[in-house]
Amino acid sequence: MEMRRADEIANTLEQLVFAGEFRDGERLDELKLAEQFHVSRTPIREALQVLVTSGMAEQIPRRGVFIRQPGPVELMEMFETMAELEAVCGRLAASRMSDADLEALSAANARCQEAIEAADHDRYYAENETFHQIIYRGAANSFLEKQALQLQARLKAYRRIQLRFRGRLRQSMGEHSQILQYLKDGDAQNTARVLRDHVAVQGEKFHQLLASLDR
């Protein structure tokens, strides 16, 4: 599926934020961005709304859209919460997931592998999102699914940048394979354990993430 121009611009803006081109609290000027990306202001407005929805930017009435980056403590808290939400989703999905969802999960995992072989980080992340969303759905708890989707969207930019750390793609893929097998086996405890560790950002990995934001 071809990515919308607004989504492409939003992805580029995320990378520019991480590269230090935009700072926390800086206003995003629609006109300047339209000139920079050689587009009308419409896709720029749409791209800024993507950033606002993900939480990377904040819209202030009558003032505009401003970059908002969480501090280290807030970021760690969000990842801790995400890891626990994913673990609960996995634990419930182990006994509730349909055969159709397991097939869809296996297909998403195969597409993740194809993305790795093509060294396509963006494609891997898109398929990775789908992989996790199938597990949320498989938990068969609509309230839990909604909460997981909201926090997944909030952490999207930070989870994506992690995948660019050396060796992380293949490590992530190995964890996916474990998760898929445990779900097929109906092993709730191990599904929850691996999903929690898969999402958690601790120790050196968290320091790498912070360093990438401070450049």
Side-chain angles (χ1 to χ4, degrees):
M1 182 184 298
E2 186 176 351
M3 186 179 291
R4 289 189 318 146
R5 181 61 175 142
D7 291 327
E8 292 177 347
I9 292 170
N11 289 347
T12 301
L13 288 173
E14 285 178 3
Q15 296 306 313
L16 290 174
V17 170
F18 290 139
E21 296 296 324
F22 297 101
R23 295 296 182 183
D24 188 37
E26 183 173 346
R27 181 175 177 274
L28 295 170
D29 188 299
E30 286 184 11
L31 185 57
K32 288 182 179 179
L33 290 173
E35 293 174 352
Q36 178 178 343
F37 287 98
H38 307 291
V39 295
S40 69
R41 294 175 72 171
T42 297
I44 296 298
R45 290 194 187 102
E46 293 174 354
L48 295 186
Q49 285 308 305
V50 171
L51 297 185
V52 170
T53 299
S54 73
M56 178 162 275
E58 178 182 14
Q59 187 160 27
I60 300 176
R62 296 183 297 278
R63 291 187 59 198
V65 175
F66 296 80
I67 292 296
R68 181 190 180 280
Q69 290 219 59
V73 173
E74 183 183 359
L75 191 59
M76 175 62 87
E77 289 174 345
M78 286 193 291
F79 269 103
E80 284 182 344
T81 303
M82 187 80 254
E84 294 303 324
L85 283 175
E86 295 252 2
V88 174
C89 286
R91 180 171 57 79
L92 294 177
S95 60
R96 299 178 180 179
M97 205 167 197
S98 68
D99 289 341
D101 276 342
L102 281 172
E103 290 178 7
L105 192 66
S106 182
N109 202 42
R111 293 193 298 271
C112 284
Q113 181 61 50
E114 291 171 359
I116 286 180
E117 292 169 358
D120 189 336
H121 289 79
D122 290 335
R123 183 183 170 196
Y124 182 89
Y125 184 78
E127 298 299 348
N128 178 68
E129 268 195 322
T130 299
F131 181 90
H132 286 270
Q133 288 166 4
I134 294 169
I135 296 174
Y136 307 159
R137 184 174 70 233
N141 181 316
S142 59
F143 181 80
L144 177 61
E145 179 182 6
K146 181 179 179 181
Q147 300 306 306
L149 287 169
Q150 286 178 344
L151 191 49
Q152 184 193 50
R154 180 68 181 86
L155 286 171
K156 179 176 181 176
Y158 306 99
R159 291 177 74 168
R160 185 191 348 245
I161 199 171
Q162 279 190 85
L163 295 175
R164 296 188 179 274
F165 297 162
R166 185 166 52 187
R168 179 56 190 151
L169 275 185
R170 294 197 178 277
Q171 180 187 8
S172 176
M173 189 67 208
E175 292 162 357
H176 275 200
S177 298
Q178 285 183 302
I179 293 162
L180 179 59
Q181 188 58 56
Y182 285 136
L183 283 169
K184 287 180 176 178
D185 293 342
D187 187 335
Q189 182 176 349
N190 278 315
T191 300
R193 176 182 58 81
V194 177
L195 265 169
R196 183 183 292 109
D197 292 344
H198 177 65
V199 176
V201 177
Q202 301 170 346
E204 183 59 29
K205 195 160 60 169
F206 187 63
H207 291 310
Q208 283 181 296
L209 179 58
L210 291 181
S212 70
L213 302 179
D214 290 338
R215 284 181 306 181

